[in-house]
């Protein structure tokens, strides 16, 4: 199953610099682990916002939830998930 996921991050204004640096480092490590696994196929930043658009290829909605909820910043995200599939008019044979 392939999913398009938009993650908008809302960092609490009460966080100090040390806490922010810690969360960002753990977020980077976790997201790169999932990208290296091949399940997190693409990651793009949305220009001008603390937001990204990602493509995941996973076995189930439960697996997608497991991955996204493992991110340290998950509690501070607004997430929109869209299930996608290959369009019949697409030139490429690859789904992702």
């Amino acid at each position: 199953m392939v999913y398009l996921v938009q993650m908008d991050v809302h960092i609490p204004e009460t966080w100090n610099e040390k806490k922010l640096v810690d969360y960002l480092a753990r977020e980077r490590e976790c997201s790169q682990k999932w990208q290296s696994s091949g399940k997190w196929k693409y990651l793009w930043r949305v220009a001008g916002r603390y937001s990204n658009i990602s493509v995941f290829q996973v076995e189930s909605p439960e697996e997608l939830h497991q991955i996204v909820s493992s991110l340290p910043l998950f509690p501070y995200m607004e997430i929109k998930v869209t299930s996608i599939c290959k369009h019949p008019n697409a030139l490429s044979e690859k789904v992702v």
Side-chain angles (χ1 to χ4, degrees), residues 3 5 7 35 38-44 52-57 94-96:
Y3 295 94
V5 179
M7 296 178 241
Q35 290 173 72
K39 301 211 178 257
W40 194 329
K41 297 291 188 180
Y42 300 100
L43 171 61
W44 294 282
N52 75 73
I53 300 220
S54 297
V55 175
F56 291 85
Q57 188 167 17
K94 284 177 59 176
V95 173
V96 175

Side-chain angles (χ1 to χ4, degrees), residues 16 27 37 61 65 68 79 85:
N16 61 37
E27 185 79 10
S37 79
H65 181 73
V68 174
I79 299 172
C85 58

Side-chain angles (χ1 to χ4, degrees), residues 1 29-30 34 39 41 52 55 62 65 71-72 84-85:
M1 304 181 89
E29 180 181 340
C30 187
W34 287 116
K39 301 211 178 257
K41 297 291 188 180
N52 75 73
V55 175
E62 292 81 13
H65 181 73
L71 296 168
I84 58 176
C85 58

Side-chain angles (χ1 to χ4, degrees), residues 46-61:
V46 177
R49 295 176 34 206
Y50 196 172
S51 179
N52 75 73
I53 300 220
S54 297
V55 175
F56 291 85
Q57 188 167 17
V58 295
E59 296 299 317
S60 66

Side-chain angles (χ1 to χ4, degrees), residues 13-28:
E13 292 180 18
T14 57
W15 283 14
N16 61 37
E17 186 69 20
K18 182 179 178 182
K19 185 171 184 173
L20 178 60
V21 168
D22 174 60
Y23 266 81
L24 294 179
R26 290 188 297 123
E27 185 79 10
R28 181 182 314 107

